[in-house]
Amino acid sequence: MAQWLEMSYVLTNMDDERINALYPPDTFPIEIRHYLCQWMEEKDWEGFNPDQSDKEQLAQALLSDCILLLESVAEQQNIVERMKLLQITKNLMTRPAMEFAVKIRNILRQEKMILCERHTPKRTEGKTPDFEDLTFMKSIVLQLQDRRKRIHSCKEDMNWEMVNYEALQAVHAKTPSEHSLRELQMLSKKIQQLKINQSSLIRECLGVFTETLTKLKQCQDNFIIKMNVWQWEQHKSVIGYPFTDDLSHLQNWSEQLFAVNSNLRQEWLLIPDLPKEIGEKLTCLLQELIQSSFVVEKQPPQVIKTQSKFSAVVRYLLGESLVSGQPVTMKAQIINELQARNVNLALCDNVGELINHTAILDRNTATKTTNANFRHMSIKKIKRADRKGAESVTEEKFALMFLAEIFITGHETPFKIHINSQPVVVIVHGSQDINAVATIIWDCAFAEPDRVPFVVPDRVTWKMMIETLNVKFCSEVGTNHHLNPYNKHFLAQKIFDQPEYASDLSDSVVTWCQFNKEVLAGRNFTFWQWFEGAMDLTKKHLKPYWSDGLIFGFIGKQHVHLILKESPSGTFLLRFSDSEIGGITIAYVSHENGIPMIQNIQPFTRKDLEIRCLGDRIRDINEILYLYPNVLKHDAFKKFYTEQQPTNSGYIPVSLQTKVGTVPEIDGNHVSGDALPDLTVLSMEAHCDPVPADGMDYDFYFNDFPKNST
């Protein structure tokens, strides 16, 4: 019967001509296949061939059984259907038995070929196997409804015939006669046949339920997998991996699963003598579906500072199913790693105090979404676990757990659900932020799907690490210009403290300690703190330069010496400072007595670039002429120059300029400091322009501007 159940769905999308070719109306009408589906699929037809006379007797017996079964089915139908089936049985009586058996064999073979084509990967565009299965299950529900009506009709007919039988039995008891006895026997036989028919229909329903529950579970398991994938991609998007946050497709899927479950449950309640296990399985599937239909659509910030406001949004994909007049209140609480692994512990102990930790599930009819919007949550205090060894507070992970009780029509007890947010790190001071972010980055990059909360490996290959850094850098800066192989190689040398020109380090293992616990050699900051500083500077002040490929960025001094020493004087490149967090420096080549000298200008930091942008500083410096390898600096940076805007204020305009070299002198005295060895000093100079009317040319330093001047 399972084959016909699937074929009945396929036939709905098949044209009439092909259906008539498969089930010829004159030799094998589709009604035979429909009403005798279970009987046909229980028999073995493969052994029949037209030239096998030894099986003629078996074929004749099967044909006789078919005719008797059709006559029995006809008795249960309305007048129109009954007359049609009786005509079919009359035609079958004239058919050769072997021809009949071979015809059924061929039809079953063709059906299997059609179903095999349906199960191949090639699908109708826009449809997915799961949605096709849902449509199929909806058609099964309709078949169950039809069988349930037929069972009810059998029950009514049986009750009516029982009344007639009891009445005739009373008459026969008073005045026995052969006529009344024959009528009693006929009624008894009819009642027995009705009971057989009813039992047969119930058995069919049981088979349909068994088949459909298996399919429903498969389809629901696929839905849960897709939900887990969505949540996993949301988790990875923190680093910068692509993520589509649209849940409409999954909501539609969830709603259809719920509708099939509800309809099957209704039929189970209405069809008599079905085992209670069916209802229990449906309830278990519904519990799973409701739990999986809750999702944290907008995650809380993954680094949360106590006493600060934050928000989160939990979405319920089955909002249409909420019982009207019974509002659902969701509650949030903060849990630690141990509680995330055991929800019972979370319900018993509170490790933090949350403010504004409740929200109502609201239905938005315009967007057809149901959300609990936690707008102004705040962590008032947090209880930390005992730390292990040198573990810092910024390595401890928590989560927000959201809880609710959902009432569903037809179920007496509510469904209790809970869902956890992604891991969060709780800090008490802004200075802890960068280390907390490192914990989150490591977690999002290297956690495995379906892990035990919040287990993450403490060492990964450099290949995995550099891929994470590349994605994070591009995402954070907002650029499509990725780290190049030279950048990646230099970063490997940096984190492993290897000399430049070292061999390939792709398969080397980097630990969490190397990433953000141990300081870099000769420095007082970790690898992540240094990398994050360069990333933040690029994001806020250097994005267009980086995107245009004007910044080399991550490159060591020895590599700079190697590529610049053969270049003409004034050739330069831009690199991130090795010694200073969030600094960019200009390295250029000059020649003294024919010997190339590589100069590194004091790094520009965020504060420097807020005063004067990088483009203007490059224009100011006369010592640099060509962007490596040989691009004129004005051609490369002209679009970033700031032009002096004319003013009608009556004041003499003032501009700042970058000078490289020894700090200038006024009246034989240094303004501040002396020239530094191996590092040129940055000074600012203000020029007044245009020349005043008295013909004097004012050229003085901004720091010496007269205090009483306007």
Side-chain angles (χ1 to χ4, degrees):
M1 186 172 69
Q3 183 170 314
W4 176 247
L5 285 175
E6 196 162 358
M7 273 303 299
S8 62
Y9 166 69
V10 174
L11 293 174
T12 60
N13 298 318
M14 194 180 290
D15 59 77
D16 294 345
E17 186 177 346
R18 191 177 179 191
I19 294 174
N20 288 332
L22 184 59
Y23 312 103
D26 53 339
T27 57
F28 196 92
I30 195 172
E31 286 84 358
I32 300 176
R33 183 68 178 98
H34 175 67
Y35 287 112
L36 304 185
C37 58
Q38 185 171 356
W39 175 79
M40 284 178 61
E41 292 177 33
E42 286 174 351
K43 305 300 179 184
D44 181 14
W45 304 94
E46 283 300 320
F48 291 103
N49 286 297
D51 55 351
Q52 282 187 310
S53 57
D54 58 320
K55 291 198 174 182
E56 184 69 38
Q57 189 174 356
L58 178 59
Q60 187 60 55
L62 289 170
L63 177 60
S64 299
D65 288 347
C66 176
I67 292 170
L68 289 172
L69 287 169
L70 277 177
E71 287 176 340
S72 176
V73 170
E75 291 296 320
Q76 304 168 39
Q77 309 304 315
N78 59 49
I79 184 63
V80 176
E81 195 71 11
R82 182 163 67 248
M83 296 306 295
K84 186 189 293 185
L85 290 174
L86 290 174
Q87 183 60 46
I88 290 172
T89 58
K90 187 176 179 181
N91 294 339
L92 285 175
M93 291 176 186
T94 63
R95 291 282 303 280
M98 183 59 71
E99 180 185 313
F100 167 78
V102 170
K103 184 65 178 176
I104 293 180
R105 182 202 68 181
N106 291 340
I107 286 173
L108 292 176
R109 284 180 178 179
Q110 290 179 65
E111 286 181 353
K112 287 176 181 176
M113 289 177 63
I114 291 170
L115 295 177
C116 184
E117 289 175 5
R118 176 178 179 265
H119 290 144
T120 56
K122 188 176 179 180
R123 298 272 177 174
T124 304
E125 188 175 353
K127 290 187 177 182
T128 64
D130 296 299
F131 277 92
E132 288 184 2
D133 288 341
L134 280 167
T135 307
F136 169 64
M137 283 186 282
K138 289 176 185 176
S139 70
I140 296 302
V141 170
L142 294 176
Q143 292 183 30
L144 281 171
Q145 290 173 349
D146 177 65
R147 284 180 170 83
R148 186 243 304 161
K149 291 174 183 176
R150 287 161 58 189
I151 291 171
H152 182 70
S153 177
C154 275
K155 181 73 173 174
E156 287 183 333
D157 291 346
M158 195 162 51
N159 290 340
W160 176 251
E161 298 301 341
M162 283 295 296
V163 170
N164 291 338
Y165 182 86
E166 290 170 359
L168 187 59
Q169 194 176 41
V171 171
H172 181 73
K174 290 181 180 179
T175 55
S177 67
E178 281 189 30
H179 177 71
S180 61
L181 181 62
R182 283 196 301 273
E183 285 191 354
L184 280 172
Q185 290 172 343
M186 288 177 62
L187 280 173
S188 176
K189 186 178 179 181
K190 193 171 185 179
I191 290 168
Q192 288 302 315
Q193 186 60 51
L194 287 168
K195 286 181 178 179
I196 291 170
N197 293 341
Q198 184 182 23
S199 298
S200 176
L201 285 168
I202 291 173
R203 282 197 305 274
E204 286 181 19
C205 288
L206 180 58
V208 171
F209 264 110
T210 303
E211 179 79 16
T212 309
L213 282 173
T214 301
K215 242 183 207 320
L216 180 61
K217 187 176 189 315
Q218 290 172 350
C219 190
Q220 185 164 304
D221 287 345
N222 290 340
F223 163 76
I224 292 171
I225 289 170
K226 292 291 185 184
M227 282 298 303
N228 290 338
V229 168
W230 188 94
Q231 292 170 329
W232 178 246
E233 289 177 350
Q234 183 192 46
H235 187 54
K236 300 289 279 187
S237 69
V238 173
I239 303 166
Y241 287 100
F243 169 59
T244 303
D245 61 358
D246 182 19
L247 283 164
S248 56
H249 171 78
L250 290 168
Q251 178 168 314
N252 184 21
W253 192 348
S254 176
E255 289 171 345
Q256 291 196 52
L257 285 168
F258 180 84
V260 169
N261 190 299
S262 299
N263 290 334
L264 285 173
R265 183 177 180 82
Q266 180 177 316
E267 294 308 313
W268 170 72
L269 290 170
L270 293 173
I271 296 173
D273 301 328
L274 288 177
K276 66 177 183 179
E277 287 80 6
I278 292 175
E280 291 171 353
K281 287 180 180 178
L282 285 169
T283 300
C284 287
L285 286 172
L286 185 58
Q287 172 73 49
E288 272 188 348
L289 179 62
I290 292 172
Q291 176 68 53
S292 301
S293 295
F294 273 92
V295 59
V296 184
E297 185 175 29
K298 179 189 173 186
Q299 292 284 342
Q302 290 194 262
V303 176
I304 303 175
K305 185 174 176 291
T306 55
Q307 310 295 334
S308 63
K309 290 182 181 179
F310 63 92
S311 63
V313 176
V314 179
R315 181 165 169 181
Y316 182 39
L317 302 183
L318 292 173
E320 294 264 1
S321 67
L322 290 175
V323 177
S324 179
Q326 286 187 307
V328 176
T329 300
M330 291 207 79
K331 297 180 180 179
Q333 72 177 76
I334 192 158
I335 57 174
N336 60 24
E337 188 168 327
L338 189 61
Q339 291 173 320
R341 300 176 188 179
N342 188 338
V343 68
N344 293 325
L345 290 177
L347 298 175
C348 297
D349 188 21
N350 202 337
V351 299
E353 185 178 341
L354 272 179
I355 299 172
N356 298 324
H357 65 288
T358 62
I360 302 294
L361 269 177
D362 287 325
R363 178 75 179 163
N364 187 321
T365 54
T367 60
K368 296 183 179 179
T369 58
T370 303
N371 297 326
N373 198 339
F374 296 83
R375 291 183 177 85
H376 304 295
M377 280 194 290
S378 179
I379 299 176
K380 187 175 180 181
K381 60 182 180 180
I382 191 73
K383 178 183 175 183
R384 299 191 182 275
D386 295 333
R387 292 194 290 278
K388 303 172 184 176
E391 187 180 54
S392 70
V393 294
T394 58
E395 295 176 72
E396 185 178 5
K397 287 175 275 191
F398 297 87
L400 292 182
M401 183 170 70
F402 301 94
L403 307 99
E405 291 188 348
I406 303 297
F407 290 88
I408 299 293
T409 303
H411 295 266
E412 295 180 0
T413 57
F415 291 86
K416 296 182 178 181
I417 63 95
H418 68 276
I419 182 171
N420 295 342
S421 72
Q422 294 173 4
V424 302
V425 176
V426 181
I427 62 175
V428 297
H429 194 276
S431 61
Q432 299 171 316
D433 183 77
I434 190 169
N435 292 326
V437 170
T439 299
I440 294 301
I441 294 295
W442 188 277
D443 184 272
C444 293
F446 308 124
E448 295 291 335
D450 301 322
R451 62 170 171 177
V452 175
F454 300 112
V455 174
V456 65
D458 64 353
R459 59 190 63 227
V460 295
T461 63
W462 173 249
K463 194 179 296 182
M464 296 169 64
M465 182 80 257
I466 192 57
E467 172 63 19
T468 297
L469 295 176
N470 182 44
V471 172
K472 181 61 178 174
F473 188 91
C474 293
S475 170
E476 194 71 21
V477 173
T479 180
N480 292 320
H481 185 67
H482 293 260
L483 303 179
N484 63 35
Y486 297 110
N487 298 151
K488 295 177 180 179
H489 188 68
F490 170 69
L491 290 171
Q493 294 168 336
K494 188 87 171 170
I495 200 168
F496 292 119
D497 189 24
Q498 293 291 322
E500 297 202 33
Y501 319 121
S503 59
D504 182 27
L505 299 169
S506 299
D507 296 324
S508 300
V509 174
V510 60
T511 66
W512 160 250
C513 290
Q514 288 172 308
F515 180 64
N516 194 52
K517 283 186 77 72
E518 299 169 354
V519 296
L520 294 170
R523 309 295 181 205
N524 61 353
F525 45 79
T526 66
F527 174 85
W528 167 252
Q529 291 166 352
W530 170 78
F531 181 85
E532 196 277 340
M535 183 170 64
D536 188 61
L537 183 73
T538 308
K539 173 184 177 181
K540 294 176 178 175
H541 297 286
L542 305 175
K543 175 182 174 180
Y545 304 93
W546 175 271
S547 298
D548 286 355
L550 303 177
I551 298 176
F552 205 106
F554 300 103
I555 181 173
K557 285 184 178 180
Q558 291 184 30
H559 192 183
V560 170
H561 280 243
L562 183 67
I563 64 177
L564 287 184
K565 69 180 182 179
E566 302 297 332
S567 301
S569 290
T571 304
F572 71 99
L573 58 76
L574 296 157
R575 55 179 287 270
F576 295 121
S577 172
D578 269 342
S579 58
E580 189 166 347
I581 293 178
I584 187 165
T585 183
I586 300 173
Y588 70 95
V589 62
S590 63
H591 288 79
E592 295 182 11
N593 300 321
I595 300 173
M597 304 289 291
I598 308 303
Q599 310 290 347
N600 289 281
I601 296 176
Q602 181 175 312
F604 304 126
T605 62
R606 173 182 59 82
K607 291 181 179 179
D608 297 322
L609 297 178
E610 284 173 353
I611 295 171
R612 189 162 178 79
C613 74
L614 181 64
D616 287 341
R617 291 180 180 276
I618 289 173
R619 177 175 59 175
D620 294 342
I621 302 172
N622 296 324
E623 288 81 357
I624 58 176
L625 304 172
Y626 311 102
L627 179 66
Y628 180 83
N630 56 3
V631 182
L632 287 170
K633 75 171 182 180
H634 294 305
D635 292 343
F637 293 93
K638 185 176 180 180
K639 69 177 182 179
F640 301 109
Y641 295 165
T642 303
E643 296 301 329
Q644 184 73 39
Q645 297 297 321
T647 176
N648 297 322
S649 64
Y651 292 106
I652 300 172
V654 175
S655 65
L656 299 176
Q657 287 189 344
T658 306
K659 293 292 184 181
V660 172
T662 308
V663 176
E665 296 181 0
I666 295 181
D667 297 332
N669 297 315
H670 290 300
V671 173
S672 61
D674 295 312
L676 299 178
D678 299 324
L679 186 65
T680 58
V681 179
L682 172 70
S683 64
M684 294 298 180
E685 186 179 23
H687 293 279
C688 294
D689 189 41
V691 177
D694 57 9
M696 295 179 64
D697 186 359
Y698 292 87
D699 187 1
F700 50 86
Y701 292 96
F702 187 75
N703 285 340
D704 286 324
F705 199 94
K707 300 296 185 292
N708 57 353
S709 299
T710 303

